[in-house]
Each structure stands twice: as structure tokens, then as C-alpha cells.
């Protein structure tokens, strides 16, 4: 039995019936990592021995009859910008190459308390800045469906690990689409929760008003199970929302009758691959067949989202990354005086994309330009949020493509940053508005997965899981994995 191929809920059932042990399961996934990791390169760090030790502890607890969470004994991995006590957390940057956190992020703590097994840390674009994983400070990750194509970014390692069965599920972070776009490129489910729903304590900050942690999973049921564990108020995070968290598995019902779904016309125009647009219409038709009502809607300020995002995100990054100066963390390049040490450390420690965004953000915040750029971008953000508020007066959720194209080839956009930024054009407005977005696999184009995106009201994750689950139950287009056989 290839245990590594199964979903978390399938494995949970086997573990609860004592048909397999967590140690057997963990060994199966570690064997899979040994077999395919050289081709995929999804991991920065693999903690094999530690994982087996954790698995044996869970098996002993189960043998004693202790109460267990549904995810107890399930092997998972995390993006390498989520702090893990005693395990290197690099942000895929040379400037943090040796940083070992003395504490766990809140989500790490929650998952370990639930009994999950940490397999290691996944590769990413440096400091979560990128859309292809080509900006990792160490090595690029490859798309398991086509090794010449990128896995997306910045959670490309986390998405590729799930797609290649190197982890049962992973956690990523999403600042402008960094969970959903790689989920679409790799053919897995990816959820960016409502801002404030999942604690950010212990997430190494890129742009603090936009960053969110969320799950990458093999199906919608697993997504609900992981969200059950990681969502909830955290007093250590001042932006954490004090709201009640439901049992998300309640929303796993094959019923969308009466749901009103809006399809924003601004997401279906120029730049969207017509084959992806055709899949989106097919998804809408299937939902209508199941009893939902789909209608065109307008979000008129969508065209301003991309420039506003890159000003706001870069401004926050220029502030957040000021702490990496060779004094407190990671790399220090020795020099004749302190100022020279700062300059040499940051010059050698940061990659080109990180430097580009620090300079852009510093410029936007500088005296004389703040009102013209940063303040104006914040006003645009308010208009975009109002667009969504207006749409959600009538609709339960919105349906759009996740990305305008399928995964592109390595090197195709690396010398054209603006073209690279456009690959997040369908996901960025959701972060600016702070609402949740779910990417679901839906068909393939030339062997590469297509993702469709459902956008919800604030704290409306349950509705997104409901429509995603209904599509999973009624079409095979949500299961692109068979296309991967023979590639890895």
C-alpha cells in the first residue's frame, strides 16, 4: 500500500483503526522524499530522525488509548518562513542561513499539539518575494507535473511537496497569492484565510498587513481539517481576530442549492488564457447544474490593485527587513567598522528581488513621495475593499481564475519583473481586501493543472469549502494528479 499517496482523512481513518502506525506512515513519506526529492527539490531541510521520533511517540499515546485529534500521526511540512523551535528557519535567504528559532510559531505549536509529524521545511522565494520559486537563495523547486516548469511562488516548495506526495499536507504563507498561485500551478488545494483568522505570530514578516498563513492540501476535506487546527484567536498576535471558529467539516456537504456566485468580468478579460476562461465557465455551469445561481458582476477598481499592492507590500518590506543587519540574526560579514559591516552583510545576504523591493519601498516612504505613492496606494486599497463589500451584499462568493496562465517555464519571466508580477493579478486584490480565497484544481492544459479561485466574505471560509467540496464530488476535473505519472 502506497501510504504516501493518500489524503490526511484517509490516513486518519487507517490510523484510528490501527491498520497502520504513524511510524509506518512517516517512513513511507520519508522514502518518497528520498526517491523524488532530487528531481523536485521541495525541501530546504528534512528532519527525518526527528519525524520518526515524533511518530513513535504518537503511536505510544494511541496504544495507551489517549484521545487523539483527527490529524494525529499525519506527516506534514511547513514553508521555511514559519518558525520551528530547534529547526533551521531560513526564509530561503543567505542572510538567515543559520537561524535556529528558540520558539515555535503559534501554528507550529497548534499542529504539534494536534499530534502532526514535522517532516521539514519547504523551499520558497526569498522572504516570500516572488511568483516562481526562482528567487530562492539556495536552489529552485521544480513543478512535479513538468520539471521544466516552475511550481509557482512563493510557497512553491510547499505546493510541490504536496503534489509530489512528499508530505500529506503543508502550510504556506500568502501575501499576494503565494499559497493560491502555486496551488494552481501544482494541482493542489490552497487556502488563504481571512486576514486575522490564523495567527501570524512566528511567521517571518514580509508585508504585515497582507501576510496570512494557510494550508496546501490534497483535497477540500483535508483543507477543512487543517483549518480546524490552525484557526483561532491568538493573544500573542495583535492582528488576530477575536472571533469564534466553527468546525469547518460541517461545511463539507454536497449541496450548493440557492447559493449566489458572482463572476467578476474584470478577471475574464485580456491576459487570461482562453483555455482557463473556458474551464471557469465549465465550473460555473456545473455549479448551476447543482442548483447555484451564477451571474456576472463588476469590481471596477481591480485594474489598480497590482500597482497599489507593490507599493504597499514593498513599503512594509523595507521596514520589516531593516532588522537584518548582521547584529541580531544570521549572516554577518566582517568589516573595518559597524556601518561597513551593515552594508556588506545586507549587500551579500539579500538577493536581487529582495533588494529591488526594499529600494522601491524605501523610495515610496521617503519624504516628499509618501503622499504621492504610499498614501495614494492606501486610498486605492480602500476602494478595492469597497468593491468586494458591495459585491458581497448580493453574492455568497465570487469565482475567478487563480492565475491567468498555467505554470510557465524556468527563465521565461525571470528578466522581466513586471511580467512576473502579473502572474499574481487574480490573487492580489483578495489580500488587499483581507478576504479569504480558495484555489481548487480544475482541469489541465497541455498536462499542466489549472486552478479556479473562490473568494468569500470575511470569515466566510465555510462557504468556500462548501462549493469546493460540491465540485469535488461531482467532477473528476478537480483531480489532475494522474497527469503526473511518469514525470517523477
Amino acid at each position: 500500500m502506497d501510504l504516501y499517496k493518500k489524503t490526511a482523512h484517509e490516513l486518519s481513518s487507517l490510523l484510528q483503526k490501527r491498520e497502520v502506525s504513524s511510524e509506518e506512515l512517516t517512513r513511507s513519506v520519508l522514502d518518497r522524499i528520498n526517491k523524488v526529492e532530487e528531481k523536485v527539490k521541495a525541501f530546504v531541510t528534512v528532519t527525518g530522525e526527528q519525524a520518526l521520533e515524533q511518530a513513535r511517540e504518537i503511536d505510544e499515546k494511541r496504544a495507551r488509548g489517549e484521545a487523539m485529534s483527527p490529524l494525529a500521526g499525519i506527516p506534514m511540512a511547513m514553508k521555511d518562513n514559519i518558525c520551528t523551535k530547534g529547526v533551521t528557519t531560513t526564509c530561503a535567504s543567505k542572510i538567515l542561513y543559520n537561524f535556529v528559532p528558540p520558539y515555535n510559531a503559534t501554528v507550529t505549536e497548534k499542529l504539534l499539539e494536534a499530534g502532526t509529524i514535522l517532516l521539514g521545511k519547504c523551499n520558497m522565494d526569498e522572504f516570500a518575494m516572488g511568483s516562481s520559486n526562482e528567487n530562492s537563495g539556495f536552489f529552485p523547486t521544480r513543478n512535479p507535473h513538468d520539471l521544466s516548469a516552475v511550481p509557482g511562488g512563493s510557497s512553491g516548495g510547499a505546493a510541490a511537496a504536496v503534489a509530489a506526495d512528499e508530505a500529506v499536507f503543508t502550510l504556506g504563507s500568502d501575501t499576494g497569492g503565494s499559497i493560491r498561485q502555486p496551488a494552481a500551478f501544482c494541482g493542489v488545494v490552497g487556502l488563504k484565510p481571512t486576514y486575522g483568522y490564523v495567527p501570524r505570530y512566528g511567521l517571518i514578516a514580509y508585508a504585515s498587513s497582507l501576510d496570512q498563513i494557510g494550508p496546501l492540501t490534497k483535497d477540500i476535506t483535508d483543507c477543512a481539517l487543517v483549518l480546524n487546527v490552525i484557526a483561532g484567536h491568538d493573544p500573542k498576535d495583535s492582528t488576530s481576530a477575536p472571533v469564534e471558529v466553527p468546525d469547518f467539516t460541517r461545511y463539507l456537504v454536497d449541496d450548493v442549492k440557492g447559493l449566489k456566485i458572482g463572476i467578476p468580468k474584470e478577471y475574464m478579460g485580456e491576459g487570461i488564457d482562453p483555455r482557463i476562461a473556458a474551464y471557469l465557465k465549465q465550473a460555473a455551469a456545473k455549479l448551476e447544474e447543482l442548483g447555484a445561481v451564477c451571474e456576472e458582476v463588476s469590481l471596477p477598481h481591480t485594474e489598480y490593485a497590482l500597482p497599489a499592492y507593490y507599493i504597499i507590500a514593498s513599503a512594509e518590506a523595507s521596514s520589516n527587513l531593516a532588522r537584518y543587519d548582521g547584529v541580531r540574526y544570521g549572516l554577518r560579514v566582517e568589516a573595518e567598522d559597524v556601518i561597513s559591516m551593515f552594508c556588506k552583510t545586507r549587500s551579500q545576504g539579500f538577493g536581487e528581488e529582495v533588494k529591488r523591493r526594499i529600494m522601491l519601498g524605501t523610495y515610496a516612504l521617503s519624504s516628499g513621495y509618501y503622499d504621492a505613492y504610499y498614501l495614494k496606494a492606501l486610498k486605492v486599497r480602500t476602494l478595492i475593499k469597497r468593491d468586494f463589500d458591495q459585491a458581497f451584499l448580493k453574492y455568497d462568493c465570487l469565482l475567478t481564475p487563480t492565475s491567468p496562465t498555467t505554470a510557465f517555464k524556468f527563465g521565461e519571466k525571470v528578466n522581466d519583473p513586471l511580467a512576473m508580477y502579473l502572474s499574481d493579478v487574480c490573487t492580489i486584490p483578495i489580500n488587499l481586501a483581507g478576504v479569504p480565497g480558495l484555489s481548487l484544481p480544475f482541469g489541465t492544459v497541455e498536462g499542466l493543472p489549472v486552478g479556479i479561485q473562490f473568494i468569500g466574505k470575511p470569515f466566510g471560509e465555510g462557504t468556500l469549502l462548501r462549493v469546493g467540496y460540491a465540485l469535488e464530488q461531482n467532477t473528476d476535473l478537480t483531480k489532475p494528479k494522474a497527469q503526473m505519472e511518469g514525470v517523477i
Side-chain angles (χ1 to χ4, degrees):
M1 190 187 326
D2 291 331
L3 294 174
Y4 61 81
K5 289 184 177 178
K6 295 186 178 296
T7 61
H9 58 92
E10 290 170 338
L11 291 165
S12 181
S13 174
L14 292 174
L15 288 163
Q16 289 175 40
K17 288 187 281 188
R18 315 275 177 98
E19 292 182 12
V20 297
S21 69
S22 179
E23 184 175 356
E24 284 177 277
L25 168 57
T26 303
R27 285 191 188 281
S28 172
V29 181
L30 287 171
D31 288 345
R32 176 67 174 174
I33 292 173
N34 286 334
K35 183 179 178 185
V36 305
E37 176 61 7
E38 189 57 35
K39 293 180 180 175
V40 180
K41 308 288 280 184
F43 284 85
V44 174
T45 304
V46 177
T47 53
E49 286 305 314
Q50 181 177 316
L52 288 170
E53 188 178 329
Q54 285 178 319
R56 285 190 283 269
E57 288 175 9
I58 292 297
D59 287 337
E60 288 169 10
K61 287 182 180 179
R62 198 182 298 279
R64 290 197 294 269
E66 293 187 21
M68 293 284 191
S69 125
L71 291 180
I74 304 294
M76 57 84 188
M78 292 187 183
K79 188 174 180 178
D80 207 21
N81 59 351
I82 299 172
C83 284
T84 43
K85 184 178 180 180
V87 177
T88 309
T89 301
T90 69
C91 262
S93 177
K94 290 173 183 169
I95 211 163
L96 280 179
Y97 76 105
N98 61 354
F99 174 55
V100 181
Y103 66 98
N104 280 324
T106 297
V107 291
T108 309
E109 204 64 47
K110 282 172 171 258
L111 283 173
L112 293 179
E113 285 176 3
T116 62
I117 311 299
L118 178 64
L119 293 163
K121 308 298 289 291
C122 293
N123 197 19
M124 54 185 283
D125 286 297
E126 184 180 7
F127 281 101
M129 299 180 190
S131 305
S132 67
N133 235 261
E134 291 169 289
N135 294 323
S136 169
F138 304 134
F139 48 79
T141 295
R142 298 190 175 274
N143 192 315
H145 293 264
D146 178 351
L147 298 177
S148 66
V150 302
S154 63
S155 306
V162 176
D165 294 319
E166 294 185 79
V168 180
F169 72 88
T170 57
L171 290 190
S173 69
D174 191 315
T175 306
S178 289
I179 289 174
R180 291 160 287 154
Q181 185 251 29
F185 280 11
C186 292
V188 300
V189 173
L191 173 69
K192 185 208 87 74
T194 305
Y195 185 80
Y197 218 2
V198 173
R200 292 187 304 111
Y201 175 78
L203 171 70
I204 295 178
Y206 160 23
S208 304
S209 75
L210 301 163
D211 297 336
Q212 266 296 275
I213 297 173
L216 291 126
T217 59
K218 295 183 180 182
D219 67 5
I220 292 289
T221 302
D222 282 8
C223 188
L225 289 172
V226 177
L227 196 59
N228 270 352
V229 174
I230 64 174
H233 181 247
D234 178 14
K236 294 177 184 172
D237 176 0
S238 62
T239 61
S240 178
V243 295
E244 191 174 339
V245 176
D247 176 359
F248 290 103
T249 60
R250 281 188 344 202
Y251 295 95
L252 305 180
V253 292
D254 183 9
D255 178 14
V256 291
K257 287 187 181 65
L259 277 185
K260 288 190 173 180
I261 300 173
I263 303 176
K265 63 181 181 182
E266 289 81 4
Y267 289 71
M268 294 290 281
E270 189 180 351
I272 303 296
D273 185 324
R275 296 168 294 184
I276 292 177
Y279 271 126
L280 192 117
K281 289 174 183 170
Q282 198 173 336
K286 175 57 74 175
L287 288 167
E288 286 198 301
E289 184 185 316
L290 296 172
V293 177
C294 297
E295 294 175 351
E296 184 179 272
V297 63
S298 177
L299 302 174
H301 297 96
T302 299
E303 65 177 300
Y304 306 112
L306 199 66
Y309 169 84
Y310 275 99
I311 290 172
I312 294 169
S314 298
E316 293 185 16
S318 74
S319 174
N320 278 326
L321 271 61
R323 71 192 68 172
Y324 305 109
D325 54 12
V327 176
R328 302 170 182 82
Y329 312 96
L331 178 71
R332 173 185 290 183
V333 178
E334 298 298 337
E336 57 276 12
D337 56 54
V338 172
I339 299 299
S340 299
M341 187 275 285
F342 288 169
C343 293
K344 288 185 177 179
T345 297
R346 290 171 66 82
S347 177
Q348 294 180 30
F350 288 136
E352 292 304 311
E353 183 61 28
V354 175
K355 290 176 188 170
R356 181 182 294 120
R357 296 194 194 194
I358 289 174
M359 290 176 68
L360 178 64
T362 304
Y363 180 80
L365 290 176
S366 60
S367 176
Y369 297 100
Y370 178 93
D371 287 354
Y373 294 105
Y374 186 66
L375 188 59
K376 189 169 286 184
L378 292 179
K379 290 177 179 176
V380 170
R381 181 178 192 170
T382 300
L383 294 174
I384 289 167
K385 174 71 167 60
R386 286 178 185 166
D387 282 353
F388 282 102
D389 290 344
Q390 195 67 31
F392 288 134
L393 291 175
K394 184 173 181 183
Y395 298 101
D396 296 294
C397 67
L398 306 176
L399 171 60
T400 73
T402 305
S403 175
T405 67
T406 55
F408 44 87
K409 301 291 185 186
F410 278 95
E412 190 176 321
K413 299 182 180 182
V414 73
N415 294 319
D416 186 350
L418 289 179
M420 186 76 83
Y421 296 167
L422 282 170
S423 65
D424 291 332
V425 70
C426 298
T427 53
I428 275 173
I430 287 79
N431 296 74
L432 290 171
V435 294
L438 173 85
S439 181
L440 179 74
F442 202 85
T444 59
V445 170
E446 298 176 2
L448 287 166
V450 169
I452 57 173
Q453 175 177 233
F454 292 100
I455 306 164
K457 301 175 184 178
F459 308 106
E461 280 79 352
T463 302
L464 306 187
L465 294 169
R466 181 179 165 190
V467 289
Y469 185 78
L471 280 179
E472 271 189 349
Q473 300 305 305
N474 291 282
T475 170
D476 287 336
L477 289 168
T478 59
K479 303 173 183 66
K481 200 162 190 176
Q483 306 285 337
M484 207 171 65
E485 296 296 329
V487 177
I488 58 172

